[in-house]
Amino acid sequence: MTTNIFGRLRTAAVDTVQDVTRELAVQESRIAAGLSAFVDVGDALLKIKEAKLYRQSYPTWEGYLQSRWGMSESQSMRLISASQICREIAATGVTPPQIESHARELRSVPEGERAKLWQEITTEIPAEELTAEQIADKVASKIKKKPKRARHKK
């Protein structure tokens, strides 16, 4: 007996197209769930940090992150920031980024403008084809186009 691409013992000579299609859908839904898990992780990290829940076992936030999760403080802040951006966008009714690096690229966009820009970007480029670099380019061009506020002399 041989194993198929899913690591299972192959019981028939050839998997049917339906079996492969079904298994692909199952695995892709697992990937989608995992990719968007960063929002839950960021939310949990923020709650632990704000309430100082780590202090029962660790004297510092940085020590907690490193010892418990093998994570740097900068990585935790990226996750927290990305989760907050996604929550902000979702609150407007717009489907938020499903990938942490995509959300992270929206940090420099003023709060309240992120959902609109994200929607513009994903209308132009399908989310599944989008890269963080493309988002960064769109964000940079959006920020550059904004006129600077004139300073009023007193």
Side-chain angles (χ1 to χ4, degrees):
M1 293 199 138
T2 61
T3 58
N4 64 17
I5 60 172
F6 308 113
R8 294 186 305 229
L9 287 177
R10 186 177 281 185
T11 55
V14 178
D15 282 324
T16 67
V17 172
Q18 289 176 331
D19 289 342
V20 171
T21 302
R22 190 175 316 121
E23 188 67 24
L24 176 62
V26 167
Q27 299 310 320
E28 286 181 338
S29 69
R30 289 179 63 205
I31 292 168
L35 289 175
S36 61
F38 74 90
V39 174
D40 292 332
V41 172
D43 289 348
L45 287 169
L46 181 61
K47 287 177 184 171
I48 291 167
K49 182 179 183 189
E50 286 182 339
K52 298 183 182 349
L53 300 174
Y54 57 88
R55 286 201 170 164
Q56 186 174 357
S57 301
Y58 301 90
T60 66
W61 171 242
E62 296 81 5
Y64 166 73
L65 291 169
Q66 187 59 51
S67 296
R68 180 70 174 99
W69 303 111
M71 182 186 299
S72 67
E73 183 180 21
S74 60
Q75 177 61 19
S76 76
M77 296 313 295
R78 285 191 294 269
L79 288 165
I80 290 169
S81 174
S83 71
Q84 290 174 321
I85 288 167
C86 287
R87 296 281 182 213
E88 173 195 333
I89 292 171
T92 68
V94 173
T95 301
Q98 300 298 303
I99 300 172
E100 183 250 339
S101 63
H102 290 183
R104 197 173 350 124
E105 292 299 336
L106 298 169
R107 277 184 309 202
S108 60
V109 177
E111 225 175 290
E113 296 179 28
R114 292 175 179 143
K116 182 180 177 195
L117 180 58
W118 177 247
Q119 193 166 35
E120 289 172 12
I121 291 170
T122 56
T123 298
E124 186 179 321
I125 305 167
E128 58 275 0
E129 297 174 16
L130 197 55
T131 66
E133 184 177 3
Q134 290 170 315
I135 298 166
D137 291 344
K138 296 289 184 187
V139 167
S141 68
K142 178 77 170 178
I143 291 173
K144 286 179 187 174
K145 289 181 182 176
K146 283 195 134 185
K148 292 185 179 183
R149 291 185 174 180
R151 293 185 181 193
H152 297 285
K153 293 182 181 178
K154 289 186 178 183

